[in-house]
Amino acid sequence: MKKSGILFYLFLSLCFQNVLAQISTPPGFLNKNRQWVDSVFKSLTPDERIAQLIMVAAVSDVKRAVIDPKTSNPDFVEKLIRENKVGGVVFFQGGPVPQARITNRFQAASKVPLLIAMDAEFGLAMRIDSTVRYPYQMTLGAIQGSNDLIYEMGAQLAKQARRLGVHINFAPVADINNNPNNPVISFRSFGENKYKVAEKAVAYMRGMQENGLLTSAKHFPGHGDTGTDSHYDLPLIAHNTERIDSLELYPFRALINNGLSGVMIAHLSIPALDKTPNLPSTLSKPIVTDLLRHKLGFEGLIYSDAMNMKGVTKYFPNGKADAMGLEAGMDVLEFTEDVSKTIAEIKKSIAEGRISQAEIDFRCHKVLEAKAWVGLNHYKPVEAANLYEDLNPKSAELVNRLLTEKALTILKNENNILPLRELDTLKIASISLGADSITTFQKTLSLYTTVDHFVIPAKPSEAQLTELRAKLSSYNLLLVGVHLSSISPRGNYGLTDAMNSTLQELIATKKAVVSVFGNPYALNKILKPEAAKALLMAYQLTPYTQDLSAQLIFGAIPAVGKLPVTVNSNFPYNSGIETPALGRLKYTIPEEIGLDSRLITFKIDSIANMAVNQKATPGCVVQLAKDGKVFFRKAYGKHTYEGSKPVKLTDLYDLASVTKITASTLALMSLWDAKKFDLDATMKDYLPDFEKSNKADLPWRRVLTHSARLKSFIVLWKEAQNADGTFKKKTFSTTKSKKYPTSVVGDSLFIYKNYDKTIFKSIRDSPLNEKEGYVYSDLSFILYPQIVQRLSGENFEDYLKNHYYHKLGANTLTFNPKRFYGLDEIVPTERDTFFRMTQLHGQVHDEAAAMLGGLSGHAGLFGDANDVMKVWQMYLQQGYYGGQQLLSKDALFEFTRYQYPEMGSRRGIGFDKPSFKYTGNAPRYASPSSFGHTGYTGIMTWADPAWKLNYVFLSNRVYPTRENNKISQLNIRTAIMDVVYEALLK
């Protein structure tokens, strides 16, 4: 960046910091609904006004309670509400429906509607099950640029909390964590940079408050630089006032000046602010009143941290401490353990003049104003119906994915190894350390190429390690995931000695790319992590971090995160190496492209299940992508109607005629790029044997658009039969031999050597159709493998795999798949009752391709949906994929455009395209620029550049017989893609 650019950036940054520090907005709940507030206030006795300032703890699942189950169980809490008229409840462990029911029970028992609070720093999941868990604030601290997504997270959390009947979130954490050994804040902080902490805290706070949720920034005046957990002791902050004022207080000032509704006071000993020995800041008037209320001008609600914590109870008993807290200036006492004693002590403080009744009344008014602001003046019970669904919207999953994606941080990238390129040169193993089974990380890695997986538990046996060492020597790249089970330093972040030593061995191979799923400070516990080939910090161990880290490694997404804290001298604050995306498929959810998951899934499920239920096909796989983002992948049904094996996303299908455009046309485009294949040359130019045939002067452009008068097909196996149905000599044999070396099906039928020449001669000598016009023909495609070999010098299959499939990571694409896959991974097709007389399973369905040994240009290719889609994504991206331009843009343009529209032909070169009048060959809403193909076995692929849509449909509709054509009659294949078009059109 030029010097002028840097200065301008600094100027803007300072301006924004200045805005955060100077613009002041009072809390929005003040002076709201005064008529209701005054009415309720007048109905309260002096004791009840005190009680409005008290929040007690509750759980909705006593069995899981980590707090005292005697004082937090619903019966005990309800008694406090009825007898003492407390003002609020703080919920801890439980579940959403139980909490909703107990909330309604408590509200019904209360004279004044209760304020319900939770610690939900990273979502309701911080306290209750079956709810959304957003990233920790440390993870969010790694995000650069706009904080709009953090605002959106706050907005979503607010809606979820309010749906559950919760009115206050004790968040955001505004502490600046600059102590790697901090046992209590750490991952809960946005980081160590006060400006970034302030910006992100304000965005989070605004998202919550602007959507109806009260907040409480914590832990004032700053808990970030401590080595003691205030849950267990009273931490000491030894910094001077200048340091505290300039650093720790900065985020709180920014929040206050932006309308913060609440602040939580920490239990800290801070001699620079209050010299009273062992006095927690919670009980300090100089800190709560003089500093927060007067100097910083905070007008909102001041909450105590939990009054049962050792940070306060170590030196001050329950009740007495609570009264001292109000004397210091707090408005709300959280987690008061002995309500009766607390009220008695507060009344004593009033009687002795340490606090006035007027002060109590003023604070009671504020609490009531907050209650009115959250709508408790028109209280309605929590509706339990659809609660789980409402608390887990797909929009939350999208925000989770996007936040995680933007946070992932590369800390080492030797020779720019990430993102991975040239997949055909890599033999990859993945090793998940600290896991007990194949991980999400590993499953996503497998979406991109062939990866062999190994799992090493936290405490492996020596035998496991010995086996691992022996197997890894044959790989040239190791993708290592370090799965840390603890986010806290108390548990050494979940890093065992065995994991650490194993990791060092892997790093020492000089082949390891390491991804750390855990607290960034864990890098201080790992021996020489900087020696890895590449190091990726994912900040947490979640399905999102694992999934997206794998996608980043392969270049489906860029790396843009920066370290929000200083770990050590090797990894200082703001470390982070940016890497680009390489145009590989990204895997996400429909919401990322603006679609509704539930609606899309319901509609596609309906169509696919109809296909299975009406026996149009035993099963199928549907995969859809837009803008290079795979948003729908689902398998339906079983391999066979009578079988029990469910279809898997990774199952291989016989692609039938989709071979034409995923193999033959691909190879021809490549040769066209290399100027070895001319579309305007004639058949004799590349097939010398055709020089004297009736096809000699047919131009390839005509041939490839099915308009060269070629016959549709020749029943080649019939030509090998005698009139009585027996096979002619030198055609087939039931036993394998030198003369009959090639299997047509299994071990029961073999074809005569060099019989392919007979097949090619039969095509050469076949008559032409009398009339010109479009006639779909297999014949020329049978010839392309020999043309490719003649022009390239490589075997057809080798050419495709070496130049395309392996580079794309599309390694399931293969002919004769039984060489590499078990039959349980391959979906069967027809029960052949007229030629091969057997169940076809792992052999090509097409008879002509079978007679060519399973390898032909018109049929014979097998693969799974994901790998087929990679080829088609390359087509959509005009030949670009994985950082390589594998085909030219010109080739894609030329081959996928209408060639003879003036003749009414809808064909491209090899590719099918939409008819000019809708005939059902393509999706109804497909654009004129779209292209695709169908396959006889029940396959369809379609790409639409105008919409950037990519569609793969795999099925075995020919099982058990080809006579079943319901898949076309019911319009299954095109109807599924039209669901997406219709959704996008809306």
Side-chain angles (χ1 to χ4, degrees):
M1 185 182 290
K2 293 182 179 179
K3 186 175 181 180
S4 59
I6 295 172
L7 291 173
F8 181 69
Y9 174 81
L10 290 173
F11 172 75
L12 289 179
S13 179
L14 288 170
C15 286
F16 184 71
Q17 295 160 17
N18 203 38
V19 168
L20 284 178
Q22 292 185 6
I23 298 176
S24 179
T25 304
F29 72 85
L30 293 177
N31 301 310
K32 297 295 182 184
N33 298 288
R34 291 307 299 264
Q35 184 175 355
W36 180 83
V37 169
D38 290 342
S39 174
V40 172
F41 177 80
K42 290 175 183 177
S43 72
L44 300 176
T45 66
D47 283 8
E48 290 171 349
R49 294 171 191 175
I50 294 171
Q52 283 297 300
L53 311 183
I54 295 172
M55 302 190 84
V56 294
V59 295
S60 58
D61 187 342
V62 176
K63 293 180 180 178
R64 288 190 287 157
V66 295
I67 57 178
D68 188 346
K70 293 180 181 179
T71 59
S72 62
N73 76 76
D75 292 338
F76 183 84
V77 174
E78 183 178 348
K79 184 179 180 183
L80 292 177
I81 293 168
R82 291 186 182 279
E83 294 182 359
N84 296 106
K85 308 296 191 295
V86 295
V89 173
V90 185
F91 271 101
F92 288 82
Q93 290 73 35
V97 170
Q99 180 168 317
R101 289 172 177 160
I102 293 170
T103 296
N104 291 343
R105 173 181 165 188
F106 288 169
Q107 294 287 19
S110 184
K111 177 179 178 179
V112 179
L114 299 160
L115 277 176
I116 306 297
M118 288 181 71
D119 283 296
E121 295 165 18
F122 51 85
L124 300 178
M126 183 170 172
R127 292 301 186 212
I128 59 175
D129 61 37
S130 307
T131 51
V132 176
R133 174 184 292 269
Y134 292 102
Y136 295 138
Q137 287 188 192
M138 182 72 77
T139 307
L140 302 178
I143 296 173
Q144 304 302 299
S146 169
N147 292 306
D148 290 350
L149 276 173
I150 297 176
Y151 175 94
E152 177 60 23
M153 181 187 82
Q156 289 186 0
L157 176 51
K159 293 169 187 175
Q160 294 156 24
R162 294 306 308 273
R163 176 66 179 86
L164 186 60
V166 174
H167 313 109
I168 306 168
N169 184 10
F170 291 137
V173 173
D175 301 314
I176 297 166
N177 200 85
N178 44 24
N179 185 337
N181 298 313
N182 193 318
V184 64
I185 304 303
S186 186
F187 64 92
R188 298 165 68 192
S189 165
F190 286 115
E192 70 179 46
N193 182 291
K194 66 179 183 179
Y195 304 116
K196 296 292 186 181
V197 170
E199 292 169 15
K200 293 177 189 298
V202 167
Y204 188 18
M205 176 269 289
R206 287 184 56 240
M208 289 186 282
Q209 289 186 184
E210 290 174 14
N211 287 275
L213 187 65
L214 293 166
T215 65
S216 177
K218 59 189 183 185
H219 305 80
F220 187 87
H223 206 322
D225 194 5
T226 64
T228 303
D229 186 345
S230 53
H231 290 84
Y232 306 105
D233 205 342
L234 179 64
L236 173 68
I237 302 292
H239 300 303
N240 60 34
T241 54
E242 290 77 12
R243 149 68 190 258
I244 294 169
D245 184 71
S246 65
L247 186 66
E248 273 79 8
L249 292 182
Y250 185 87
F252 291 99
R253 273 200 190 88
L255 287 158
I256 291 167
N257 292 338
N258 280 271
L260 177 67
S261 66
V263 170
M264 177 179 285
I265 309 296
H267 303 311
L268 302 169
S269 174
I270 314 174
L273 301 180
D274 190 329
K275 298 186 184 301
T276 308
N278 300 320
L279 182 71
S281 45
T282 340
L283 313 185
S284 167
K285 190 169 185 178
I287 293 174
V288 179
T289 297
D290 298 345
L291 175 59
L292 177 58
R293 183 74 73 197
H294 294 158
K295 183 177 180 182
L296 299 185
F298 181 62
E299 300 178 60
L301 289 171
I302 301 176
Y303 303 86
S304 72
D305 205 342
M307 294 301 290
N308 69 328
M309 292 165 62
K310 288 294 184 181
V312 65
T313 61
K314 181 176 181 179
Y315 298 104
F316 300 91
N318 287 320
K320 176 66 173 176
D322 298 81
M324 290 176 67
L326 285 190
E327 293 170 19
M330 286 191 299
D331 298 309
V332 179
L333 302 167
E334 184 219 345
F335 209 146
T336 294
E337 286 199 298
D338 190 329
V339 175
S340 296
K341 187 175 181 181
T342 293
I343 292 175
E345 287 288 347
I346 294 169
K347 290 171 69 176
K348 184 178 178 182
S349 293
I350 295 170
E352 294 176 358
R354 291 189 297 275
I355 189 171
S356 68
Q357 183 64 48
E359 269 294 310
I360 297 294
D361 292 351
F362 173 75
R363 296 175 198 181
C364 179
H365 261 98
K366 260 203 303 189
V367 168
L368 293 175
E369 286 170 4
K371 290 186 175 185
W373 186 80
V374 296
L376 287 174
N377 54 327
H378 300 292
Y379 165 74
K380 293 180 181 179
V382 181
E383 176 59 60
N386 300 316
L387 185 59
Y388 285 106
E389 293 81 358
D390 293 346
L391 294 180
N392 291 276
K394 294 299 287 188
S395 57
E397 181 180 346
L398 175 60
V399 166
N400 249 319
R401 297 186 71 86
L402 295 176
L403 287 167
T404 301
E405 177 181 332
K406 291 181 179 298
L408 298 175
T409 306
I410 294 177
L411 295 175
K412 171 81 179 291
N413 196 18
E414 186 176 306
N415 298 324
N416 293 316
I417 188 173
L418 296 181
L420 298 177
R421 297 170 171 83
E422 298 179 352
L423 300 184
D424 54 323
T425 67
L426 301 176
K427 185 177 181 184
I428 306 173
S430 77
I431 305 96
S432 284
L433 297 177
D436 296 317
S437 59
I438 297 296
T439 61
T440 299
F441 177 59
Q442 293 174 307
K443 291 175 183 177
T444 302
L445 291 174
S446 285
L447 294 175
Y448 290 98
T449 190
T450 302
V451 181
D452 296 325
H453 303 303
F454 302 89
V455 175
I456 300 299
K459 296 180 179 180
S461 67
E462 189 55 40
Q464 287 174 307
L465 295 176
T466 300
E467 182 182 7
L468 178 68
R469 293 183 192 109
K471 290 182 176 180
L472 291 185
S473 60
S474 63
Y475 297 90
N476 62 5
L477 180 64
L478 309 179
L479 301 179
V480 184
V482 183
H483 299 258
L484 299 178
S485 59
S486 174
I487 199 74
S488 169
R490 283 195 295 270
N492 204 38
Y493 304 105
L495 184 70
T496 65
D497 290 342
M499 289 170 64
N500 212 345
S501 61
T502 304
L503 179 58
Q504 299 322 300
E505 282 192 53
L506 297 173
I507 290 174
T509 65
K510 305 297 183 182
K511 299 185 291 188
V513 170
V514 177
S515 300
V516 178
F517 301 107
N519 194 315
Y521 290 124
L523 293 174
N524 279 321
K525 304 294 183 180
I526 296 173
L527 300 173
K528 298 183 179 179
E530 65 277 4
K533 290 281 288 184
L535 181 64
L536 172 61
M537 173 48 62
Y539 299 99
Q540 296 179 234
L541 179 60
T542 71
Y544 300 122
T545 57
Q546 294 183 69
D547 177 19
L548 289 159
S549 291
Q551 297 199 44
L552 182 151
I553 286 169
F554 280 100
I557 59 175
V560 293
K562 302 286 185 181
L563 202 60
V565 292
T566 294
V567 174
N568 53 41
S569 59
N570 289 314
F571 307 115
Y573 168 77
N574 213 37
S575 296
I577 301 166
E578 296 187 12
T579 60
L582 298 180
R584 290 200 179 104
L585 289 170
K586 179 182 182 181
Y587 299 85
T588 186
I589 59 175
E591 281 68 17
E592 187 165 346
I593 61 164
L595 299 180
D596 183 326
S597 288
R598 288 179 294 182
L599 183 61
I600 288 290
T601 301
F602 172 77
K603 290 187 174 182
I604 294 177
D605 282 356
S606 298
I607 298 169
N609 288 327
M610 176 177 68
V612 173
N613 295 336
Q614 296 199 21
K615 295 191 173 181
T617 178
C620 61
V621 175
V622 178
Q623 184 157 326
L624 286 150
K626 184 181 186 315
D627 304 324
K629 300 169 184 175
V630 179
F631 64 88
F632 192 93
R633 300 178 71 228
K634 196 166 183 180
Y636 301 85
K638 300 176 181 177
H639 279 206
T640 63
Y641 292 114
E642 65 278 7
S644 59
K645 186 169 183 56
V647 175
K648 302 191 303 294
L649 290 169
T650 53
D651 284 336
L652 276 67
Y653 278 81
D654 182 335
L655 302 179
S657 284
V658 169
T659 302
K660 292 180 172 72
I661 35 76
T662 309
S664 292
T665 304
L666 171 58
L668 294 178
M669 282 192 284
S670 180
L671 293 169
W672 185 87
D673 266 341
K675 302 189 185 307
K676 293 180 179 181
F677 182 77
D678 184 352
L679 287 168
D680 297 314
T682 60
M683 292 190 80
K684 69 176 184 294
D685 293 326
Y686 303 128
L687 296 168
D689 291 348
F690 280 50
E691 187 171 3
K692 295 182 180 180
S693 77
N694 58 0
K695 303 173 184 63
D697 296 321
L698 296 179
W700 287 109
R701 191 180 296 274
R702 285 293 191 128
V703 171
L704 282 159
T705 53
H706 303 277
S707 57
R709 296 170 55 209
L710 294 182
K711 290 291 184 183
S712 178
F713 62 92
I714 301 171
V715 186
L716 295 166
W717 68 273
K718 278 282 189 181
E719 291 191 347
Q721 279 188 333
N722 295 306
D724 62 359
T726 60
F727 289 121
K728 297 175 182 177
K729 290 183 179 181
K730 295 184 179 181
T731 57
F732 297 102
S733 170
T734 56
T735 58
K736 185 176 183 179
S737 65
K738 289 183 179 180
K739 290 185 178 181
Y740 295 89
T742 304
S743 170
V744 176
V745 56
D747 295 323
S748 60
L749 192 64
F750 300 86
I751 197 164
Y752 189 72
K753 63 180 182 179
N754 299 325
Y755 194 80
D756 56 337
K757 294 179 180 178
T758 303
I759 292 173
F760 300 149
K761 182 178 182 297
S762 181
I763 295 172
R764 184 194 68 192
D765 296 341
S766 64
L768 296 174
N769 295 320
E770 293 183 7
K771 295 182 180 180
E772 290 192 353
Y774 171 72
V775 175
Y776 181 81
S777 174
D778 278 349
L779 299 187
S780 75
F781 283 88
I782 294 173
L783 305 172
Y784 294 130
Q786 61 173 302
I787 293 174
V788 171
Q789 183 158 359
R790 180 174 288 116
L791 297 180
S792 71
E794 293 181 70
N795 169 279
F796 183 59
E797 182 174 23
D798 290 343
Y799 183 85
L800 290 164
K801 287 184 175 180
N802 292 338
H803 293 273
Y804 293 97
Y805 299 161
H806 292 335
K807 290 179 184 292
L808 295 168
N811 297 322
T812 65
L813 295 181
T814 189
F815 296 88
N816 295 311
K818 287 198 296 181
R819 294 175 294 167
F820 312 108
Y821 298 93
L823 288 180
D824 62 335
E825 300 173 278
I826 308 169
V827 179
T829 54
E830 189 173 16
R831 292 174 180 165
D832 187 340
T833 58
F834 48 85
F835 171 33
R836 287 161 284 183
M837 302 303 178
T838 189
Q839 168 67 60
L840 300 177
H841 193 180
Q843 302 106 16
V844 63
H845 176 265
D846 183 90
E847 298 89 358
M851 293 172 68
L852 290 163
L855 192 153
S856 179
H858 76 295
L861 190 66
F862 284 71
D864 69 22
N866 192 47
D867 282 352
V868 172
M869 180 166 276
K870 291 172 187 175
V871 176
W872 284 75
Q873 192 61 35
M874 176 185 66
Y875 292 164
L876 267 179
Q877 293 172 178
Q878 298 182 299
Y880 177 82
Y881 194 85
Q884 294 178 286
Q885 193 70 41
L886 298 170
L887 287 170
S888 72
K889 295 179 181 180
D890 290 343
L892 268 301
F893 173 78
E894 183 62 28
F895 278 68
T896 62
R897 71 178 177 89
Y898 288 111
Q899 292 293 312
Y900 298 107
E902 70 280 2
M903 297 171 56
S905 171
R906 71 175 195 243
R907 304 297 300 206
I909 301 294
F911 294 99
D912 198 5
K913 290 180 67 64
S915 296
F916 300 108
K917 292 184 180 179
Y918 180 69
T919 61
N921 78 299
R924 183 179 298 275
Y925 302 104
S927 75
S929 64
S930 68
F931 51 91
H933 217 283
T934 55
Y936 191 77
T937 52
I939 311 298
M940 185 174 190
T941 54
W942 204 266
D944 194 334
W947 292 89
K948 297 183 180 179
L949 283 174
N950 189 347
Y951 172 47
V952 177
F953 178 91
L954 305 183
S955 79
N956 57 331
R957 70 96 189 167
V958 295
Y959 182 91
T961 171
R962 69 184 64 189
E963 300 305 317
N964 175 16
N965 197 32
K966 287 183 179 179
I967 204 158
S968 294
Q969 295 164 1
L970 295 171
N971 200 29
I972 299 297
R973 292 175 285 188
T974 55
I976 287 175
M977 195 172 184
D978 276 330
V979 166
V980 179
Y981 280 113
E982 289 166 0
L984 292 171
L985 285 165
K986 291 180 181 178

